[in-house]
Amino acid sequence: MKFVDMTPTDFPSFENKPLNPNLCEPRKVNFQFNNIPKHWLNNSSVLTHYFNAMNLFLPAFEAFMVRVMRNELPRIKNTELEAPIRGFIKQEATHGQTHHKYNKILEAQGYKFKTILKIADFFFTEVLEKYLSPKMCLALISGFENIATVFSYIILKSNMLATANPTMRSLWEWHTAEEIEHSGLAFKFLNHVDNHYWVRILGGLLGTLMPIAALVVGMALLIMQDQSLTNQKTFDDLRKFLFTEYKFLPLTVKHMASYFKLEFNPKSEDLYQYGEKVFSHS
Ligand SMILES: [Fe+2]
Ligand SMILES: [Fe+2]
């Protein structure tokens, strides 16, 4: 696969380090967000803003995960989790910084979202981190990561980015492949600290509802600013995205439901092939 926006480095948009779930080392990135069209995926407001809406909130979600997990690192010191969790934290920090950079492009394209991002930051720092216990924050993170893994699997398996703007394709393939690489780790971290079923379920419920709410709000906000919220094409694209072509809604429900079973055990090995494919480009 060829990447655009080549710059004078020894790698294109991201370093092609092979998948290694035992270490989850972060990859160097070099995304040049030049000339990104407003609707960079299939010329569709719905498909583009599904990804853009995630982009809006990812810096806040990922910064929260990084802060909580860094603070809780002493709990897994000298265990087999320490090395991959350290890598995981670095991967999430890089994701957040990169999506923050892309949010500047969305701003330059004329989209307005500063207030909603301030509310999101406030919610994480002044509400969740102040009022939830560290173990409940870890349970929340485990829930976020479960839905991130499911989204990443659906995106990579369906090849829905095949016709995207090359830089954006590269951005989302890199991020989703690293989500696959570190999938299951947040659950293991939580399990090491607290393995009560109700803690996982409570965190899992909140950790599922929050990203979905952010996604719905973000998509509505961006599609509204395109003035296409009530267009027929928007409805058609939404139907294709959710139910007919990509089946995003039934697939999400199907794949995330197992997280709520008593005997849940993440089956990350089954997913690695999708991440390996991304990191085997030359
Ligand atoms: Fe991430
Ligand atoms: Fe993640």
Side-chain angles (χ1 to χ4, degrees), residues 130-194:
K130 283 206 173 142
Y131 296 102
L132 291 187
S133 66
K135 74 177 179 188
M136 195 44 77
C137 287
L138 284 177
L140 194 56
I141 291 170
S142 182
F144 292 158
E145 283 293 307
N146 180 55
I147 198 164
T149 303
V150 171
F151 282 176
S152 299
Y153 164 71
I154 297 171
I155 290 165
L156 291 177
K157 192 176 182 210
S158 67
N159 210 12
M160 71 189 289
L161 291 159
T163 53
N165 166 277
T167 307
M168 298 310 286
R169 174 180 179 170
S170 190
L171 169 74
W172 286 102
E173 287 190 343
W174 157 72
H175 189 161
T176 48
E178 286 195 346
E179 289 302 320
I180 297 278
E181 186 177 34
H182 68 231
S183 63
L185 277 175
F187 170 80
K188 288 177 186 162
F189 196 166
L190 170 68
N191 228 20
H192 185 87
V193 173
D194 188 313

Side-chain angles (χ1 to χ4, degrees), residues 62 92 95 175 179:
E62 290 176 323
E92 294 296 10
H95 298 168
H175 189 161
E179 289 302 320

